[in-house]
């Protein structure tokens, strides 16, 4: 079910509000024991199904969705856990391609809540922080998947890897998307440090599937894999994206997999990085289904790729004018966005609507996108972590000069002004980016305003 206006809507909202009352995702606790303790009390639901776990800096959610879609096309009952959500909390726990229903959300919450409270009490007695939002969410996801039940879980880490609460499970396949600098205050100030933390998802007897990596990141992944005797399947060695052509609504790919050659695959997503994500996803599915010993069947592979959705990732949300939403929130993501705009879209002028959270590299994002901009509309997503509009505008002006920068008090004002500007000229594009929170707000607004029906 995916109907959010059902008889259980209030109960579903109550679950979300109960989690929101806890320590938020911006302040994760670097620990696993409390999550493990609740799951132990519940009978270890995370052991009820095999797991493919993903970490990396960018591309985690898209690659997770690609893997899940292919596996579901094979007829497997899938569970997909991603974060953060764009519009609705239910998006984070997906069963067989559909966000968890409010009824299932409420039922599983009722099952786990007494045990969550028990561990909260133990933590408070020990002088520790009670279970956080993400710790409880992880328990809820694993319990919901076991309850469904599912054949395979595709699990995206929340932050890092080693101490991320999803890591209480032992994944059979550890997937690494490209690693770059992000969350430096918590994960480390170098690519090697960040990769070392992320490599904590590798477990004994697992198989590692990795995208092409910075040499420092790959060295850390190899070190962790050797320690746990986990074989590595590496892009451009064991598999590769061999062709990638622009097509209407996306691209056409060819991939050399571990076990076969796959040609002329249609992918309804924009950006060369999505082609790379698809190659990693194919290698991961080959590894899961036969440890790379047998090619994937053509029909489920074609179906899985052609039906995949990646909301908020270079998503077309409006026409007349054209409005794209992209959740790029670090320089690596901004570079992927810039490359895709140049290759997949042909517009004379672009206005960017940008809002950034306080723990992100705003200057890094702006420096990548400013050379492509005719205007930059500065705003602040509705999050207490957002950089205030005036501060971000000052920082942007100091970086690129005053000519491009236009601050707006609300996201609606910023994007409506951008659409008006785009409609006043010819061949003008609106791009909303800089934050997952901002992306979610504009997706909601575009749907409510019916921008695609312009």
């Amino acid at each position: 079910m995916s109907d959010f206006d059902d008889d259980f809507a209030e109960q579903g909202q109550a679950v979300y509000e109960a989690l929101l009352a806890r320590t938020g995702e911006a302040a994760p606790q670097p620990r696993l024991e409390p999550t493990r303790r609740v799951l132990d009390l519940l009978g270890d639901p995370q052991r009820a199904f095999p797991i493919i776990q993903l970490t990396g800096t960018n591309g985690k959610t898209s690659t997770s969705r690609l893997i899940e879609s292919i596996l579901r096309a094979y007829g497997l009952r899938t569970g997909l856990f991603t974060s953060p959500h764009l519009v609705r909390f239910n998006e984070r726990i997906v069963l067989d391609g559909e966000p968890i229903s409010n009824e299932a959300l409420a039922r599983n919450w009722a099952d786990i809540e007494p045990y969550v409270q028990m561990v909260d009490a133990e933590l408070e007695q020990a002088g520790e922080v009670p279970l956080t939002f993400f710790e409880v969410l992880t328990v809820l996801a694993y319990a919901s998947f076991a309850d469904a039940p599912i054949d395979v879980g595709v699990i995206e880490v929340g932050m890092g890897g080693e101490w991320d609460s999803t890591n209480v499970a032992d994944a059979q396949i550890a997937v690494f998307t490209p690693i770059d600098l992000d969350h430096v205050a918590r994960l480390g100030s170098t690519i090697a440090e960040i990769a070392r933390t992320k490599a904590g998802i590798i477990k004994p007897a697992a198989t590692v599937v990795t995208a092409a990596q910075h040499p420092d990141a790959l060295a850390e992944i190899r070190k962790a894999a050797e320690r746990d005797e986990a074989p590595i399947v590496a892009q451009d060695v064991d598999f590769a994206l061999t062709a990638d052509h622009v097509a209407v609504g996306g691209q056409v790919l060819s991939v050399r997999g571990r076990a076969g050659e796959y040609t002329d695959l249609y992918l309804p997503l924009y950006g060369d990085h999505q082609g790379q994500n698809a190659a990693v996803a194919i290698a991961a599915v080959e590894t899961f289904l036969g440890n790379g010993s047998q090619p994937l069947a053509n029909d489920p592979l074609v179906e899985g790729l052609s039906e995949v959705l990646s909301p908020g990732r270079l998503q077309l949300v409006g026409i007349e004018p054209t409005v794209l939403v992209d959740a790029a929130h670090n320089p690596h993501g901004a570079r992927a966005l810039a490359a895709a705009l140049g290759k997949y879209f042909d517009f004379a002028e672009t206005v960017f609507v940008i809002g950034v959270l306080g723990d992100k590299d705003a200057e890094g994002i702006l420096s990548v996108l400013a050379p492509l901009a005719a205007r930059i509309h500065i705003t602040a997503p509705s999050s207490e972590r957002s950089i205030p509009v005036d501060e971000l505008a000052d920082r942007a002006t100091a970086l690129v000069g005053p000519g491009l920068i236009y601050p707006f008090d609300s996201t609606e004002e910023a994007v409506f002004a951008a659409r008006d500007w785009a409609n006043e000229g010819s061949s003008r594009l609106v791009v909303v980016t800089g934050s997952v929170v901002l992306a979610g707000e504009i997706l909601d607004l575009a749907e409510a305003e019916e921008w695609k029906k312009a």
Side-chain angles (χ1 to χ4, degrees), residues 25 28-39 46 51 53 81 83 92 131-142 155-170 201 203:
E25 291 172 280
Q29 296 295 303
R31 63 187 188 183
L32 293 177
E33 284 310 314
T35 308
R36 191 173 282 131
R37 170 75 172 137
V38 185
L39 290 168
Q46 79 281 10
I51 287 175
Q53 188 175 23
F81 181 56
S83 62
R92 296 181 182 229
L131 289 156
T132 67
F133 177 103
F134 195 74
E135 286 172 332
V136 175
L137 176 60
T138 299
V139 172
L140 182 58
Y142 285 144
I155 309 295
E156 176 190 342
V157 304
M159 185 186 294
E162 180 182 8
W163 43 258
D164 185 79
S165 58
T166 63
N167 204 32
V168 295
D170 293 332
I201 71 167
K203 306 293 174 60

Short mmCIF file of all heavy atoms in Angstrom, two decimals, residues 25 28-39 46 51 53 81 83 92 131-142 155-170 201 203:
data_model
loop_
_atom_site.label_atom_id
_atom_site.label_comp_id
_atom_site.label_asym_id
_atom_site.label_seq_id
_atom_site.Cartn_x
_atom_site.Cartn_y
_atom_site.Cartn_z
N GLU A 25 18.98 13.23 13.67
CA GLU A 25 19.97 12.60 12.80
C GLU A 25 21.23 13.42 12.64
O GLU A 25 22.27 12.91 12.23
CB GLU A 25 19.34 12.33 11.44
CG GLU A 25 18.28 11.27 11.48
CD GLU A 25 17.54 11.15 10.17
OE1 GLU A 25 16.65 11.97 9.92
OE2 GLU A 25 17.85 10.23 9.40
N PRO A 28 24.27 11.91 15.40
CA PRO A 28 24.26 10.46 15.63
C PRO A 28 25.23 10.07 16.73
O PRO A 28 26.27 10.71 16.91
CB PRO A 28 24.69 9.89 14.27
CG PRO A 28 25.50 10.97 13.64
CD PRO A 28 24.86 12.25 14.10
N GLN A 29 24.90 9.03 17.46
CA GLN A 29 25.78 8.53 18.50
C GLN A 29 26.71 7.45 17.90
O GLN A 29 26.22 6.51 17.28
CB GLN A 29 24.97 7.93 19.65
CG GLN A 29 24.10 8.93 20.38
CD GLN A 29 24.93 9.98 21.09
OE1 GLN A 29 25.77 9.67 21.92
NE2 GLN A 29 24.69 11.24 20.76
N PRO A 30 28.01 7.59 18.04
CA PRO A 30 28.93 6.59 17.47
C PRO A 30 28.97 5.32 18.31
O PRO A 30 29.91 5.05 19.05
CB PRO A 30 30.28 7.33 17.47
CG PRO A 30 30.18 8.28 18.60
CD PRO A 30 28.73 8.71 18.68
N ARG A 31 27.91 4.53 18.20
CA ARG A 31 27.77 3.33 19.03
C ARG A 31 26.84 2.35 18.32
O ARG A 31 26.01 2.74 17.51
CB ARG A 31 27.20 3.71 20.40
CG ARG A 31 25.79 4.29 20.31
CD ARG A 31 25.26 4.83 21.62
NE ARG A 31 23.85 5.20 21.50
CZ ARG A 31 23.13 5.75 22.47
NH1 ARG A 31 23.69 6.02 23.65
NH2 ARG A 31 21.85 6.03 22.28
N LEU A 32 26.99 1.07 18.66
CA LEU A 32 26.13 0.05 18.10
C LEU A 32 25.35 -0.72 19.17
O LEU A 32 24.29 -1.28 18.90
CB LEU A 32 26.94 -0.96 17.28
CG LEU A 32 27.58 -0.43 15.98
CD1 LEU A 32 28.41 -1.54 15.33
CD2 LEU A 32 26.52 0.07 15.02
N GLU A 33 25.88 -0.75 20.39
CA GLU A 33 25.31 -1.64 21.41
C GLU A 33 23.84 -1.39 21.72
O GLU A 33 23.07 -2.36 21.86
CB GLU A 33 26.16 -1.57 22.68
CG GLU A 33 27.47 -2.34 22.59
CD GLU A 33 27.28 -3.76 22.07
OE1 GLU A 33 26.36 -4.46 22.56
OE2 GLU A 33 28.03 -4.18 21.17
N PRO A 34 23.38 -0.13 21.85
CA PRO A 34 21.95 0.05 22.16
C PRO A 34 21.03 -0.51 21.07
O PRO A 34 20.02 -1.15 21.37
CB PRO A 34 21.82 1.57 22.29
CG PRO A 34 23.18 2.03 22.71
CD PRO A 34 24.12 1.14 21.95
N THR A 35 21.38 -0.27 19.80
CA THR A 35 20.57 -0.82 18.71
C THR A 35 20.61 -2.34 18.76
O THR A 35 19.57 -3.01 18.62
CB THR A 35 21.11 -0.33 17.35
OG1 THR A 35 21.21 1.09 17.37
CG2 THR A 35 20.19 -0.76 16.22
N ARG A 36 21.80 -2.89 18.97
CA ARG A 36 21.95 -4.34 19.04
C ARG A 36 21.14 -4.92 20.19
O ARG A 36 20.55 -6.00 20.07
CB ARG A 36 23.44 -4.68 19.19
CG ARG A 36 23.76 -6.14 19.02
CD ARG A 36 25.26 -6.38 19.03
NE ARG A 36 25.88 -6.03 17.76
CZ ARG A 36 26.96 -5.27 17.62
NH1 ARG A 36 27.54 -4.75 18.67
NH2 ARG A 36 27.47 -5.04 16.43
N ARG A 37 21.08 -4.20 21.30
CA ARG A 37 20.36 -4.68 22.48
C ARG A 37 18.85 -4.78 22.19
O ARG A 37 18.22 -5.79 22.53
CB ARG A 37 20.61 -3.72 23.65
CG ARG A 37 19.74 -3.93 24.88
CD ARG A 37 20.15 -5.12 25.68
NE ARG A 37 19.42 -5.17 26.95
CZ ARG A 37 18.89 -6.26 27.46
NH1 ARG A 37 19.04 -7.43 26.84
NH2 ARG A 37 18.25 -6.23 28.61
N VAL A 38 18.28 -3.77 21.56
CA VAL A 38 16.85 -3.82 21.24
C VAL A 38 16.56 -4.98 20.28
O VAL A 38 15.61 -5.75 20.46
CB VAL A 38 16.35 -2.51 20.61
CG1 VAL A 38 14.84 -2.57 20.42
CG2 VAL A 38 16.70 -1.30 21.47
N LEU A 39 17.40 -5.10 19.26
CA LEU A 39 17.19 -6.17 18.28
C LEU A 39 17.33 -7.55 18.92
O LEU A 39 16.60 -8.49 18.57
CB LEU A 39 18.17 -6.01 17.11
CG LEU A 39 17.89 -4.82 16.20
CD1 LEU A 39 19.06 -4.57 15.27
CD2 LEU A 39 16.61 -5.03 15.40
N GLN A 46 17.01 -8.74 12.14
CA GLN A 46 17.95 -8.43 11.05
C GLN A 46 18.65 -9.67 10.52
O GLN A 46 19.29 -9.62 9.47
CB GLN A 46 18.99 -7.39 11.52
CG GLN A 46 20.13 -7.93 12.37
CD GLN A 46 19.76 -8.16 13.83
OE1 GLN A 46 18.59 -8.10 14.19
NE2 GLN A 46 20.75 -8.41 14.66
N ILE A 51 21.34 -9.55 3.40
CA ILE A 51 21.43 -8.09 3.30
C ILE A 51 22.53 -7.67 2.33
O ILE A 51 23.63 -8.22 2.33
CB ILE A 51 21.69 -7.48 4.69
CG1 ILE A 51 20.42 -7.55 5.54
CG2 ILE A 51 22.19 -6.03 4.59
CD1 ILE A 51 20.60 -7.09 6.97
N GLN A 53 24.38 -4.16 1.84
CA GLN A 53 24.51 -2.88 2.54
C GLN A 53 25.36 -1.92 1.71
O GLN A 53 26.36 -2.32 1.10
CB GLN A 53 25.16 -3.09 3.91
CG GLN A 53 25.18 -1.85 4.79
CD GLN A 53 25.71 -2.14 6.18
OE1 GLN A 53 26.45 -3.11 6.38
NE2 GLN A 53 25.36 -1.32 7.15
N PHE A 81 15.83 0.22 2.58
CA PHE A 81 15.93 1.20 3.66
C PHE A 81 16.87 2.31 3.21
O PHE A 81 18.05 2.06 2.94
CB PHE A 81 16.47 0.52 4.93
CG PHE A 81 16.59 1.44 6.12
CD1 PHE A 81 15.51 2.17 6.58
CD2 PHE A 81 17.80 1.57 6.79
CE1 PHE A 81 15.62 3.00 7.69
CE2 PHE A 81 17.93 2.40 7.90
CZ PHE A 81 16.84 3.12 8.35
N SER A 83 17.75 6.85 3.45
CA SER A 83 17.55 8.08 4.21
C SER A 83 18.33 9.21 3.56
O SER A 83 19.30 8.95 2.84
CB SER A 83 17.99 7.90 5.67
OG SER A 83 19.37 7.60 5.74
N ARG A 92 11.21 5.91 3.71
CA ARG A 92 12.48 5.34 4.17
C ARG A 92 12.43 3.81 4.26
O ARG A 92 13.47 3.16 4.19
CB ARG A 92 12.83 5.90 5.55
CG ARG A 92 13.08 7.41 5.55
CD ARG A 92 13.45 7.84 6.95
NE ARG A 92 13.66 9.26 7.05
CZ ARG A 92 14.72 9.82 7.63
NH1 ARG A 92 15.67 9.05 8.13
NH2 ARG A 92 14.84 11.13 7.72
N LEU A 131 18.03 6.02 23.18
CA LEU A 131 18.07 5.68 21.76
C LEU A 131 17.71 6.90 20.90
O LEU A 131 16.76 7.62 21.19
CB LEU A 131 17.11 4.53 21.46
CG LEU A 131 17.55 3.16 21.99
CD1 LEU A 131 16.34 2.26 22.18
CD2 LEU A 131 18.57 2.52 21.07
N THR A 132 18.47 7.11 19.83
CA THR A 132 18.26 8.27 18.97
C THR A 132 17.21 7.97 17.90
O THR A 132 16.78 6.82 17.72
CB THR A 132 19.56 8.66 18.26
OG1 THR A 132 19.92 7.61 17.34
CG2 THR A 132 20.70 8.88 19.26
N PHE A 133 16.83 9.02 17.17
CA PHE A 133 15.90 8.89 16.05
C PHE A 133 16.34 7.78 15.11
O PHE A 133 15.58 6.87 14.77
CB PHE A 133 15.84 10.23 15.30
CG PHE A 133 14.98 10.23 14.06
CD1 PHE A 133 13.72 10.80 14.07
CD2 PHE A 133 15.43 9.69 12.86
CE1 PHE A 133 12.92 10.83 12.93
CE2 PHE A 133 14.65 9.70 11.72
CZ PHE A 133 13.40 10.26 11.75
N PHE A 134 17.61 7.83 14.68
CA PHE A 134 18.05 6.89 13.66
C PHE A 134 18.24 5.48 14.22
O PHE A 134 18.01 4.49 13.52
CB PHE A 134 19.35 7.37 13.00
CG PHE A 134 19.66 6.64 11.72
CD1 PHE A 134 18.93 6.90 10.57
CD2 PHE A 134 20.64 5.66 11.68
CE1 PHE A 134 19.19 6.20 9.38
CE2 PHE A 134 20.91 4.96 10.51
CZ PHE A 134 20.18 5.24 9.36
N GLU A 135 18.64 5.37 15.48
CA GLU A 135 18.75 4.04 16.09
C GLU A 135 17.39 3.36 16.13
O GLU A 135 17.26 2.18 15.78
CB GLU A 135 19.35 4.16 17.49
CG GLU A 135 20.85 4.47 17.47
CD GLU A 135 21.41 4.79 18.85
OE1 GLU A 135 20.65 5.30 19.71
OE2 GLU A 135 22.60 4.54 19.07
N VAL A 136 16.37 4.09 16.55
CA VAL A 136 15.02 3.51 16.63
C VAL A 136 14.48 3.22 15.23
O VAL A 136 13.85 2.19 15.00
CB VAL A 136 14.07 4.43 17.42
CG1 VAL A 136 12.65 3.88 17.40
CG2 VAL A 136 14.55 4.59 18.86
N LEU A 137 14.75 4.14 14.31
CA LEU A 137 14.31 3.92 12.92
C LEU A 137 14.93 2.65 12.34
O LEU A 137 14.26 1.89 11.64
CB LEU A 137 14.70 5.13 12.07
CG LEU A 137 14.42 5.02 10.57
CD1 LEU A 137 12.93 4.82 10.31
CD2 LEU A 137 14.93 6.26 9.84
N THR A 138 16.20 2.42 12.63
CA THR A 138 16.87 1.21 12.14
C THR A 138 16.18 -0.05 12.69
O THR A 138 15.93 -1.00 11.96
CB THR A 138 18.35 1.22 12.55
OG1 THR A 138 18.99 2.36 11.96
CG2 THR A 138 19.06 -0.04 12.09
N VAL A 139 15.89 -0.04 13.99
CA VAL A 139 15.18 -1.18 14.59
C VAL A 139 13.82 -1.37 13.92
O VAL A 139 13.43 -2.49 13.59
CB VAL A 139 15.01 -0.95 16.11
CG1 VAL A 139 14.11 -2.04 16.71
CG2 VAL A 139 16.36 -0.93 16.82
N LEU A 140 13.11 -0.27 13.71
CA LEU A 140 11.79 -0.33 13.09
C LEU A 140 11.87 -0.91 11.68
O LEU A 140 11.02 -1.73 11.28
CB LEU A 140 11.18 1.08 13.05
CG LEU A 140 9.77 1.24 12.48
CD1 LEU A 140 8.77 0.37 13.23
CD2 LEU A 140 9.36 2.71 12.52
N ALA A 141 12.90 -0.52 10.93
CA ALA A 141 13.05 -1.03 9.56
C ALA A 141 13.32 -2.53 9.57
O ALA A 141 12.67 -3.30 8.84
CB ALA A 141 14.19 -0.29 8.85
N TYR A 142 14.28 -2.97 10.38
CA TYR A 142 14.60 -4.39 10.42
C TYR A 142 13.40 -5.21 10.90
O TYR A 142 13.13 -6.30 10.36
CB TYR A 142 15.82 -4.64 11.32
CG TYR A 142 17.14 -4.23 10.70
CD1 TYR A 142 18.16 -3.68 11.48
CD2 TYR A 142 17.39 -4.43 9.35
CE1 TYR A 142 19.38 -3.32 10.92
CE2 TYR A 142 18.60 -4.06 8.78
CZ TYR A 142 19.60 -3.51 9.57
OH TYR A 142 20.79 -3.17 9.00
N ILE A 155 20.12 -2.13 2.23
CA ILE A 155 20.21 -1.23 3.38
C ILE A 155 21.25 -0.14 3.13
O ILE A 155 22.44 -0.44 2.97
CB ILE A 155 20.59 -2.01 4.66
CG1 ILE A 155 19.67 -3.22 4.86
CG2 ILE A 155 20.59 -1.09 5.86
CD1 ILE A 155 18.23 -2.89 5.12
N GLU A 156 20.82 1.10 3.12
CA GLU A 156 21.73 2.24 2.98
C GLU A 156 22.12 2.73 4.37
O GLU A 156 21.24 2.95 5.22
CB GLU A 156 21.06 3.37 2.21
CG GLU A 156 21.89 4.63 2.11
CD GLU A 156 21.11 5.82 1.54
OE1 GLU A 156 20.05 5.61 0.92
OE2 GLU A 156 21.58 6.96 1.74
N VAL A 157 23.41 2.91 4.62
CA VAL A 157 23.83 3.44 5.92
C VAL A 157 23.35 4.88 6.06
O VAL A 157 23.13 5.58 5.07
CB VAL A 157 25.36 3.37 6.11
CG1 VAL A 157 25.89 1.97 5.94
CG2 VAL A 157 26.07 4.34 5.17
N GLY A 158 23.20 5.30 7.31
CA GLY A 158 22.80 6.68 7.56
C GLY A 158 23.98 7.63 7.44
O GLY A 158 23.93 8.63 6.72
N MET A 159 25.07 7.32 8.15
CA MET A 159 26.28 8.14 8.10
C MET A 159 27.48 7.26 8.39
O MET A 159 27.48 6.50 9.36
CB MET A 159 26.22 9.30 9.11
CG MET A 159 27.41 10.25 9.02
SD MET A 159 27.42 11.52 10.32
CE MET A 159 25.96 12.47 9.87
N GLY A 160 28.50 7.36 7.57
CA GLY A 160 29.73 6.61 7.83
C GLY A 160 29.56 5.14 7.51
O GLY A 160 29.31 4.76 6.37
N GLY A 161 29.69 4.31 8.53
CA GLY A 161 29.59 2.88 8.32
C GLY A 161 29.88 2.10 9.59
O GLY A 161 29.02 1.42 10.12
N GLU A 162 31.09 2.23 10.09
CA GLU A 162 31.54 1.41 11.23
C GLU A 162 30.59 1.48 12.41
O GLU A 162 30.19 0.46 12.96
CB GLU A 162 32.94 1.86 11.64
CG GLU A 162 33.51 1.08 12.82
CD GLU A 162 34.88 1.58 13.24
OE1 GLU A 162 35.32 2.63 12.73
OE2 GLU A 162 35.51 0.93 14.09
N TRP A 163 30.21 2.71 12.80
CA TRP A 163 29.34 2.85 13.98
C TRP A 163 27.92 3.26 13.62
O TRP A 163 27.12 3.59 14.49
CB TRP A 163 29.94 3.84 14.98
CG TRP A 163 30.51 5.11 14.37
CD1 TRP A 163 31.83 5.38 14.15
CD2 TRP A 163 29.78 6.26 13.91
NE1 TRP A 163 31.97 6.63 13.58
CE2 TRP A 163 30.74 7.19 13.43
CE3 TRP A 163 28.43 6.60 13.86
CZ2 TRP A 163 30.39 8.43 12.89
CZ3 TRP A 163 28.07 7.83 13.33
CH2 TRP A 163 29.04 8.73 12.85
N ASP A 164 27.58 3.24 12.34
CA ASP A 164 26.20 3.52 11.93
C ASP A 164 25.30 2.40 12.44
O ASP A 164 25.65 1.22 12.36
CB ASP A 164 26.13 3.61 10.41
CG ASP A 164 24.75 4.01 9.93
OD1 ASP A 164 24.43 5.21 9.99
OD2 ASP A 164 23.98 3.12 9.50
N SER A 165 24.13 2.75 12.94
CA SER A 165 23.31 1.74 13.60
C SER A 165 22.85 0.63 12.66
O SER A 165 22.57 -0.48 13.11
CB SER A 165 22.10 2.40 14.28
OG SER A 165 21.30 3.11 13.36
N THR A 166 22.81 0.89 11.34
CA THR A 166 22.46 -0.20 10.42
C THR A 166 23.50 -1.31 10.45
O THR A 166 23.23 -2.44 10.04
CB THR A 166 22.34 0.31 8.96
OG1 THR A 166 23.61 0.81 8.53
CG2 THR A 166 21.29 1.40 8.84
N ASN A 167 24.70 -0.99 10.95
CA ASN A 167 25.81 -1.93 10.88
C ASN A 167 25.74 -3.03 11.94
O ASN A 167 26.66 -3.84 12.05
CB ASN A 167 27.14 -1.18 10.99
CG ASN A 167 28.29 -1.95 10.37
OD1 ASN A 167 28.11 -2.68 9.40
ND2 ASN A 167 29.48 -1.80 10.94
N VAL A 168 24.66 -3.07 12.71
CA VAL A 168 24.45 -4.20 13.62
C VAL A 168 24.15 -5.48 12.83
O VAL A 168 24.27 -6.58 13.36
CB VAL A 168 23.30 -3.93 14.62
CG1 VAL A 168 23.65 -2.78 15.54
CG2 VAL A 168 21.99 -3.65 13.88
N ALA A 169 23.76 -5.32 11.58
CA ALA A 169 23.51 -6.48 10.72
C ALA A 169 24.80 -6.87 10.01
O ALA A 169 25.68 -6.03 9.79
CB ALA A 169 22.42 -6.15 9.70
N ASP A 170 24.91 -8.14 9.68
CA ASP A 170 26.07 -8.64 8.93
C ASP A 170 25.66 -8.82 7.47
O ASP A 170 24.98 -9.79 7.12
CB ASP A 170 26.55 -9.97 9.51
CG ASP A 170 27.11 -9.81 10.91
OD1 ASP A 170 27.61 -8.71 11.22
OD2 ASP A 170 27.03 -10.77 11.70
N ILE A 201 31.72 -1.45 7.35
CA ILE A 201 30.57 -2.32 7.02
C ILE A 201 31.03 -3.69 6.49
O ILE A 201 30.21 -4.60 6.35
CB ILE A 201 29.62 -1.67 5.99
CG1 ILE A 201 30.24 -1.60 4.59
CG2 ILE A 201 29.14 -0.31 6.47
CD1 ILE A 201 29.25 -1.26 3.49
N LYS A 203 32.31 -7.26 6.64
CA LYS A 203 32.28 -8.30 7.66
C LYS A 203 32.97 -9.56 7.14
O LYS A 203 33.09 -9.76 5.93
CB LYS A 203 30.82 -8.62 8.04
CG LYS A 203 30.00 -7.42 8.47
CD LYS A 203 30.48 -6.84 9.79
CE LYS A 203 29.74 -5.57 10.14
NZ LYS A 203 28.30 -5.73 10.29
#
